[in-house]
């Protein structure tokens, strides 16, 4: 079973630098030199670069390590299950044409699609075949 890969942190270098510069302007208004040559800005950019590299590496952790980390938190992956879907058939077109055979066929398909037990599907198929046989030969009943 594969896990969906999604980035754990979507902050990039420029976003981190912009946020840090805004924070510096609010927290330390006496710091008025915001050029790239300023040692403080150089440190901000270096830390932003390291944070971005860490985020990149964390996003590349292999799946088996993700599973092991989830187990440490007592989280087990659920086993795979078959997909299910609810189906709804619109019988208006067949009803307007007045064709009972079309209606019966669509209803039989609907009933078979709702069954989950293989034996019940076989039984429904046999019943459908018997009903079709009765319609072809009405004198037998």
């Amino acid at each position: 079973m594969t896990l969906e890969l999604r980035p754990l942190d979507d902050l990039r270098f420029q976003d981190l630098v912009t946020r840090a510069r805004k924070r510096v302007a609010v927290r330390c208004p006496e710091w008025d030199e915001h050029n790239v040559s300023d040692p403080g800005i150089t440190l901000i950019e270096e830390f932003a670069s390291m944070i971005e590299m860490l985020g990149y590496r964390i996003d590349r952790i292999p799946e088996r390590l993700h599973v092991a980390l989830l187990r440490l938190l007592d989280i087990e992956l659920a086993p795979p299950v078959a997909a299910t879907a609810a189906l709804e058939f619109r019988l208006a077109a067949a009803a307007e044409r007045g064709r009972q055979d079309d209606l019966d066929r669509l209803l039989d398909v609907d009933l078979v699609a709702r069954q989950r037990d293989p034996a019940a599907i076989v039984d429904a198929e046999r019943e459908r075949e018997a009903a079709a046989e009765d319609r072809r030969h009405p004198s037998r009943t």
Side-chain angles (χ1 to χ4, degrees), residues 65-86:
L65 184 56
H66 274 277
V67 172
L69 292 172
L70 289 173
R71 284 192 184 128
L72 284 174
L73 298 172
D74 289 330
I75 299 172
E76 291 291 328
L77 291 178
V81 294
T84 60

Side-chain angles (χ1 to χ4, degrees), residues 103-113 124 127-128 131 135:
L103 279 172
D104 290 341
R105 183 175 46 83
L106 287 173
L107 285 174
D108 287 340
V109 170
D110 188 29
L111 292 175
V112 171
E127 288 177 15
R128 193 180 91 202
R135 283 193 298 273

Side-chain angles (χ1 to χ4, degrees), residues 2-31:
T2 60
L3 296 172
E4 177 184 340
L5 294 176
R6 67 174 75 149
L8 299 174
D9 193 357
D10 61 349
L11 290 178
R12 299 291 171 241
F13 172 79
Q14 195 57 51
D15 298 331
L16 292 166
V17 170
T18 303
R19 284 184 176 189
R21 283 184 173 200
K22 287 179 182 178
R23 185 168 288 175
V24 164
V26 170
R27 300 271 178 147
C28 190
E30 60 272 3
W31 183 2

Side-chain angles (χ1 to χ4, degrees), residues 34-93:
H34 295 283
N35 297 326
V36 179
S37 61
D38 182 54
I41 298 299
T42 303
L43 284 173
I44 287 174
E45 289 178 349
E46 184 60 32
F47 284 124
S49 174
M50 290 181 352
I51 290 171
E52 185 180 38
M53 281 190 292
L54 282 174
Y56 175 81
R57 289 179 63 195
I58 287 173
D59 286 343
R60 300 307 180 269
I61 291 175
E63 179 182 343
R64 63 189 164 101
L65 184 56
H66 274 277
V67 172
L69 292 172
L70 289 173
R71 284 192 184 128
L72 284 174
L73 298 172
D74 289 330
I75 299 172
E76 291 291 328
L77 291 178
V81 294
T84 60
L87 300 176
E88 182 177 327
F89 294 97
R90 306 284 179 176
L91 304 176

